Amino acid sequence: MSKILAINAGSSSLKWQLFEMPAEKVIAKGVAERIGQELGRIKVVANGRSDERKVVIPSHQEAVKMLLTSLTENKIITGFTEIVGVGHRVVAGGEIFHRSTLIDEKVIAQIESLAEYAPLHNPAEAAGIRAFMAALPGVPEVAVFDTSFHQTLPAVNYLYSIPYEYYKKFGARKYGAHGTSYRYVSQRTADLLQRPLTDLKMIVAHLGNGTSLDAIKDGKSFNTSMGFTPLAGVTMGTRSGDIDASLVAFLEEKMDLSTEQMIHILNTKSGLLGLSGVSSDMRDLLAHEGTDPQAKVTVEIFVDRIVQYIGSYVAQLSGLDVLVFTAGIGENESLIRSRICQALGYLGVKIDEAVNKTTRGTEQIISTPNSKVKVLVVPTNEELMIARDVVEYGEITSK
Ligand code: AMP
């Protein structure tokens, strides 16, 4: 048995899970939050117990040291040599990384060079990688990119209709996101249906705070709703999704804002939050939609944009075999699933409302036997996918 850490480092946080592989069992998980701020928080969950402490966490290096120390202190491991591999989520892999990659100095430099595609994420992720290299020298580390699954997109789907030289010179194209989730969910769906993934025309709806859709053909990502950054696509918790680019310049002028300020608004104050004025959280909106007309229209827009994307992907795929719901809303909100599927009735989508209603965070086929499209709920598991990639690309053999 081998112990593998899956790391998700943000600009001020570091989330982790410790897996026993190949059993794929989560032994412990936790988070270090508010790194670099006045007072941080460290949380470790293991053996049914949760240990939480408020401490100053000056840097990612310190967060990594504290995480490793907490593993021995809580007797989750007896020594660091038990950890045989570390996997890191990396947001932007550009056109360099088509798959997960064993990390060396060159790979770290490449991740850093891609910082302009994900300024909040890639530098923090590189810092996390360096911190583990220092703390666990010689232990294989693997980078798992959010974008790599979408490197199979055909040019017809990744190019924007802008001067082609901008793509050639600056890499201005669609990269997509949530790729690790799509890779896990699409394969798991094929396994559950006992069909080869390559035989299925599939759409996966990753409906969370960040929401996107992916059209999968021949087992590969064929089109996806997020774009150059995760700001594009459908309405999200706080992100606008697609808007007319001219509106950005118009609003900047009206409110005397810089482009940076405007993009910040589109990322953090728009979407469900901006439209409703109530909350970015779907649970709150569903609780208010009966009494608050603005909450009602916000939920309608959320459903509508998803239905629009699914319709366009069905047209591109020339049909649909499977529709899969995943992430916070997709896994838990039967009402949203039901409304989307009702709108897709014209495709022969039929779900069993009773089964749908009782499905929360579990794997389940929710379509009726005579539905023309199989509809499933498949909880995503990006951390497990990262741990699997560490085994594969770190060439780890079980001890
Ligand atoms: P995620 O980003 O995947 O964590 O998803 C967050 C979204 O899922 C929020 O809009 C929540 O309202 C929604 N959601 C609904 N039910 C749940 C639940 N039981 N647990 C977590 N998120 C939920």
Side-chain angles (χ1 to χ4, degrees):
M1 288 289 200
S2 308
K3 293 194 174 71
I4 285 171
L5 266 172
I7 303 295
N8 186 348
S11 51
S12 67
S13 70
L14 193 142
K15 287 190 215 133
W16 59 271
Q17 287 193 12
L18 183 67
F19 285 88
E20 184 100 41
M21 299 296 276
E24 304 198 331
K25 189 175 159 229
V26 179
I27 314 169
K29 59 184 175 180
V31 64
E33 282 173 339
R34 299 177 188 229
I35 299 170
Q37 297 176 19
E38 220 167 276
L39 189 60
R41 187 176 77 109
I42 295 245
K43 188 175 169 192
V44 180
V45 183
N47 306 319
R49 268 192 32 228
S50 176
D51 179 34
E52 207 174 311
R53 267 182 297 157
K54 292 230 158 70
V55 277
V56 182
I57 317 169
S59 63
H60 282 81
Q61 270 85 345
E62 287 304 315
V64 169
K65 279 190 203 155
M66 287 177 190
L67 148 61
L68 291 171
T69 310
S70 71
L71 290 179
T72 47
E73 273 178 7
N74 287 284
K75 303 200 169 32
I76 297 160
I77 56 171
T78 51
F80 297 158
T81 51
E82 279 184 48
I83 299 169
V84 297
V86 184
H88 298 266
R89 173 191 179 217
V90 179
V91 166
E95 287 189 318
I96 302 176
F97 296 104
H98 292 230
R99 60 186 65 82
S100 300
T101 308
L102 187 63
I103 298 171
D104 56 17
E105 272 303 324
K106 183 175 166 217
V107 170
I108 300 183
Q110 285 170 318
I111 290 170
E112 283 169 340
S113 78
L114 291 163
E116 59 182 350
Y117 295 108
L120 292 180
H121 290 96
N122 273 38
E125 287 148 2
I129 292 167
R130 286 195 189 282
F132 273 99
M133 280 190 147
L136 301 174
V139 172
E141 301 202 42
V142 171
V144 180
F145 300 90
D146 277 7
T147 49
S148 61
F149 186 62
H150 302 303
Q151 279 298 297
T152 52
L153 256 54
V156 71
N157 288 334
Y158 73 68
L159 284 178
Y160 291 113
S161 304
I162 56 177
Y164 185 59
E165 62 181 287
Y166 300 164
Y167 163 62
K168 295 307 272 179
K169 274 191 190 158
F170 311 122
R173 54 160 284 178
K174 179 188 279 193
Y175 291 100
H178 289 147
T180 312
S181 172
Y182 289 128
R183 204 151 49 93
Y184 173 82
V185 170
S186 58
Q187 188 54 60
R188 183 69 195 145
T189 300
D191 291 349
L192 288 168
L193 294 174
Q194 298 181 323
R195 296 270 307 273
L197 179 57
T198 43
D199 284 1
L200 298 170
K201 291 175 183 172
M202 189 186 291
I203 295 175
V204 182
H206 179 114
L207 315 182
N209 190 34
T211 285
S212 72
L213 292 108
D214 200 33
I216 295 168
K217 189 174 154 187
D218 303 325
K220 295 179 199 149
S221 182
F222 179 74
N223 203 354
T224 196
S225 63
M226 283 179 171
F228 177 66
T229 71
L231 180 53
V234 296
T235 304
M236 305 177 221
T238 61
R239 287 177 230 152
S240 62
D242 299 337
I243 57 164
D244 181 342
S246 314
L247 198 52
V248 176
F250 174 83
L251 292 174
E252 279 173 16
E253 201 188 316
K254 287 281 172 207
M255 294 184 281
D256 194 20
L257 296 173
S258 66
T259 301
E260 199 185 349
Q261 287 170 316
M262 196 59 223
I263 295 290
H264 184 71
I265 290 171
L266 294 175
N267 267 309
T268 63
K269 295 188 172 17
S270 303
L272 301 180
L273 175 66
L275 269 171
S276 69
V278 174
S279 172
S280 63
D281 195 301
M282 185 54 80
R283 286 169 286 198
D284 296 336
L285 297 181
L286 290 173
H288 282 86
E289 67 173 353
T291 51
D292 178 351
Q294 198 54 29
K296 185 168 182 286
V297 76
T298 301
V299 178
E300 282 171 2
I301 289 171
F302 180 79
V303 169
D304 174 77
R305 299 304 184 267
I306 292 164
V307 169
Q308 285 193 40
Y309 261 95
I310 291 175
S312 71
Y313 288 166
V314 172
Q316 277 199 317
L317 294 170
S318 314
L320 184 65
D321 299 314
V322 194
L323 171 65
V324 196
F325 290 101
T326 193
I329 298 169
E331 291 166 24
N332 295 295
E333 294 295 357
S334 59
L335 206 54
I336 298 293
R337 293 193 300 253
S338 171
R339 289 178 193 174
I340 293 168
C341 289
Q342 270 172 29
L344 300 174
Y346 72 98
L347 291 171
V349 170
K350 269 195 210 146
I351 60 167
D352 183 324
E353 288 293 353
V355 174
N356 178 45
K357 210 167 176 180
T358 52
T359 301
R360 263 182 169 262
T362 50
E363 292 175 342
Q364 184 66 53
I365 297 175
I366 59 169
S367 47
T368 60
N370 66 348
S371 174
K372 289 205 178 113
V373 177
K374 289 247 180 291
V375 185
L376 287 88
V377 174
V378 176
T380 191
N381 196 339
E382 290 159 284
E383 294 78 13
L384 176 58
M385 202 70 230
I386 292 173
R388 285 181 185 167
D389 282 359
V390 175
V391 173
E392 184 176 347
Y393 295 93
E395 294 179 10
I396 287 162
T397 46
S398 295
K399 282 184 185 164

